[in-house]
Amino acid sequence: MRPRSPLWYLAALFLALGAWVIGAVVAAGAWDIVRDAGVSSSTAPVDAADRSVAIFTDVVQPERRVTCSYTVAPAKKGAKPQAIEPAPIDLTIADDGTEWYLIGFVLDGKDGMTVACTPRDKRTDNASYAVSAVDGFSQRANVGNGIAILGTVAGIGLGIWTFINRRRRLQEADDASA
């Protein structure tokens, strides 16, 4: 099949853009998994090998700059706690009648993680903190990324194929008229 119209270039563009949209929707759906996971106390160690860990609070305190960190049991002598990145999105869940706000997220959890959160001003903190080990977050996000990448490659391939075939067709038309 030979492309006879520049509309094939638009098809390549729409293929790539469509794949990006679908990939973004699938990857964003990974946050639904976090929303559906239950929370547990942050004082107990969390077994989160091959899972992600979401950190929640029941009181949002942006003015106090709450930071969270984790250690892995058994803690080695002199091992420093690992900082937890702030949450990349605003997410609120309800669990047992309490509203929990996502404040931190660890993509690759480890067994025996103990999470601790403290405000930087070191004053008394009346907030409660909870964690959730989330199964399947990374896999779902990777599927979305894969869809976007494959669609982009397919769109670029279709564009190159269209360019080469249109050029050949024009050269054959030139050769036939000569």
Side-chain angles (χ1 to χ4, degrees):
M1 181 162 141
R2 292 185 146 183
R4 302 189 189 281
S5 163
L7 291 177
W8 281 90
Y9 290 115
L10 284 176
L13 176 66
F14 286 130
L15 175 65
L17 290 176
W20 274 88
V21 169
I22 292 168
V25 168
V26 170
W31 291 106
D32 293 337
I33 298 169
V34 175
R35 191 174 285 117
D36 295 337
V39 298
S40 62
S41 172
S42 67
T43 58
V46 178
D47 288 331
D50 300 324
R51 296 195 268 177
S52 300
V53 178
I55 297 89
F56 296 94
T57 185
D58 63 344
V59 179
V60 179
Q61 306 176 74
E63 70 284 353
R64 294 191 70 192
R65 294 176 49 197
V66 175
T67 58
C68 298
S69 61
Y70 71 88
T71 56
V72 178
K76 296 175 184 159
K77 190 173 185 176
K80 289 187 176 183
Q82 301 291 317
I84 296 174
E85 294 292 320
I89 65 168
D90 289 332
L91 179 70
T92 304
I93 65 169
D95 189 62
D96 290 334
T98 303
E99 292 282 317
W100 293 99
Y101 305 93
L102 183 67
I103 60 170
F105 195 76
V106 178
L107 188 58
D108 297 315
K110 297 167 181 43
D111 279 342
M113 287 179 67
T114 302
V115 175
C117 297
T118 56
R120 287 195 181 165
D121 61 14
K122 305 292 184 197
R123 294 189 339 232
T124 303
D125 187 15
N126 62 348
S128 296
Y129 299 96
V131 297
S132 178
V134 182
D135 284 321
F137 181 89
S138 295
Q139 292 84 356
R140 180 94 182 240
N142 288 338
V143 167
N145 289 339
I147 290 170
I149 290 168
L150 288 175
T152 300
V153 169
I156 290 170
L158 181 60
I160 291 170
W161 179 78
T162 302
F163 175 78
I164 290 169
N165 282 311
R166 284 184 52 81
R167 191 159 182 195
R168 269 193 210 141
R169 194 177 121 244
L170 290 174
Q171 284 178 341
E172 288 172 2
D174 286 346
D175 291 344
S177 66

